[in-house]
Amino acid sequence: MSSQNAVIFGCEGLRLSGAEKSFFGDAKPWGFILFARNLDTPDQIRALCAELRECVGRDAPILIDQEGGRVQRLRAPQWREWLPPLDQMAAIANPADQRRAMALRYRLIAHELRDLGIDVNCAPMLDVPTPDAHYIIMNRCYGDNPDIVAEMGRAVSEGLLAGGVLPIIKHIPGHGRANLDSHHDLPHVDASADDLRNIDFKPFRHLSDLPMAMTAHIVYTTMDAQNCATLSPVMIDAIRNDIGFDGLLMSDDLSMKALTGTFAQRTVGAINAGCDVILHCNGQRDEMDQIMTQVPVLSGKPLARANAALAMRHAPEPFDLAMAEESFSALL
């Protein structure tokens, strides 16, 4: 297999320009991520996915954020509109029905994604919110009890995997205490290390067998007062050894304003801290050029983790779409 670089890139529009095709062919990113700017019709999305894979000459993973609710890239009228996850949980009284509904929801989402050529979803979100959590997180959560969050996260993952879509657990080791939006600011969390381990880390520990995880751009002051988790060897050691996650660890988006410094510096910081793969989403060529000056070729343990994640991709299991839709509606 040809070499792959430890990066996931976004692209600018609905189809690739000649310059983008040339750049991606040289850059050889491990994968790609799509946003609303890249999505129009089913046929257009399928063509874009094919172009991206053709650039790198392999069946590269293609990611999307399709949680449903606020974070939903595929929208009506062509695709379903979903309740925010927390609102769905509140609409169903019985815990067993909550779990069944969450698994069905993400099995239906997986069906939509695979139909378009997308095979990785940035879900489940395992953050455990506190009452003062920022609204950007709050109703994307599955509850405020770490055991319930873990159980619903497992259901999300089962639904996605049954549909042939790989899950990514996020935002490891936990974004639920942050009262700032890391797209714009760097949150600091002052909870004790014991509280973090007993509450925030707990859902991630329960789902540490899953293939991929995305870091949090958050400073956990009692464990590392200087660096956010993405750039912190201390926090990534906790992810590996306390939480026990040994899958592919990717940074959250390096273009988020929680981070400072050049994109080359951000890349070096994340890789040196222990991230396996860099995520960069906005498709801006000048930023991607900086990243490519520092991003390493996937090798050793990061390559083994990447290969193990992709080995979990498989064709969707048999699925009765009409029956699943009927069952999901009945649960709500």
Side-chain angles (χ1 to χ4, degrees):
M1 180 181 291
S2 61
S3 64
Q4 307 160 45
N5 286 310
V7 65
I8 298 164
F9 279 141
C11 58
E12 288 188 321
L14 301 177
R15 297 296 293 269
L16 296 183
S17 67
E20 283 181 307
K21 289 180 180 180
S22 177
F23 172 75
F24 290 140
D26 292 337
K28 298 181 178 62
W30 180 71
F32 299 95
I33 188 166
L34 301 182
F35 282 81
R37 65 180 183 272
N38 309 123
L39 309 171
D40 184 17
T41 68
D43 283 345
Q44 169 269 319
I45 297 169
R46 293 182 195 110
L48 177 60
C49 289
E51 283 185 330
L52 290 167
R53 290 177 169 127
E54 185 179 356
C55 285
V56 294
R58 56 187 162 80
D59 188 16
I62 295 181
L63 290 63
I64 197 169
D65 290 288
Q66 189 72 358
E67 298 173 11
R70 178 185 293 113
V71 178
Q72 179 172 337
R73 310 305 182 200
L74 299 168
R75 306 217 76 116
Q78 298 197 73
W79 296 279
R80 293 174 185 80
E81 288 290 331
W82 302 94
L83 287 173
L86 194 60
D87 293 359
Q88 178 177 306
M89 290 287 292
I92 303 171
N94 182 279
D97 288 344
Q98 289 176 331
R99 193 190 195 287
R100 173 68 176 152
M102 201 65 79
L104 276 171
R105 169 192 176 111
Y106 285 90
R107 181 64 183 86
L108 289 164
I109 287 174
H111 180 78
E112 292 181 333
L113 298 183
R114 279 293 296 238
D115 178 61
L116 302 171
I118 300 165
D119 56 8
V120 183
N121 194 7
C122 299
M125 201 184 81
L126 302 182
D127 304 320
V128 182
T130 55
D132 59 349
H134 193 275
Y135 76 88
I136 196 72
I137 288 290
M138 184 61 78
N139 69 354
R140 297 163 61 191
C141 298
Y142 310 142
D144 58 8
N145 177 295
D147 293 315
I148 291 173
V149 171
E151 185 67 14
M152 295 305 126
R154 180 65 70 184
V156 169
S157 302
E158 289 170 358
L160 291 172
L161 287 165
V165 171
L166 296 179
I168 298 175
I169 57 175
K170 65 184 186 185
H171 305 85
I172 201 168
H175 208 298
R177 296 179 188 271
N179 58 12
L180 296 173
D181 178 0
S182 56
H183 290 88
H184 304 290
D185 301 286
L186 178 60
H188 286 68
V189 165
D190 297 326
S192 71
D194 283 345
D195 281 348
L196 291 171
R197 292 188 179 101
N198 293 331
I199 299 171
D200 304 66
F201 294 5
K202 192 173 185 180
F204 295 98
R205 195 177 290 121
H206 279 295
L207 276 76
S208 61
D209 59 303
L210 289 178
M212 290 183 280
M214 181 186 296
T215 62
H217 294 333
I218 293 180
V219 175
Y220 303 86
T221 58
T222 59
M223 297 184 71
D224 183 346
Q226 304 303 315
N227 302 294
C228 71
T230 304
L231 305 176
S232 169
V234 172
M235 296 312 301
I236 291 180
D237 179 74
I239 289 168
R240 294 301 190 193
N241 295 306
D242 189 334
I243 291 173
F245 177 74
D246 193 36
L248 186 75
L249 184 65
M250 66 186 68
S251 73
D252 204 346
D253 183 9
L254 286 197
S255 60
M256 290 164 66
K257 293 181 173 60
L259 304 184
T260 59
T262 68
F263 283 85
Q265 290 168 336
R266 298 178 196 193
T267 301
V268 169
I271 293 294
N272 286 350
C275 289
D276 295 315
V277 173
I278 297 302
L279 176 64
H280 181 268
C281 295
N282 65 24
Q284 295 298 306
R285 176 64 184 274
D286 59 333
E287 296 178 7
M288 294 192 293
D289 283 337
Q290 287 190 53
I291 289 168
M292 287 309 303
T293 66
Q294 299 298 328
V295 76
V297 173
L298 269 175
S299 62
K301 264 197 168 181
L303 177 60
R305 291 172 179 141
N307 289 340
L310 294 187
M312 293 183 69
R313 287 192 300 189
H314 57 75
E317 296 173 7
F319 181 56
D320 187 323
L321 176 60
M323 184 177 294
E325 289 175 329
E326 182 179 342
S327 298
F328 182 74
S329 296
L331 287 166
L332 290 178

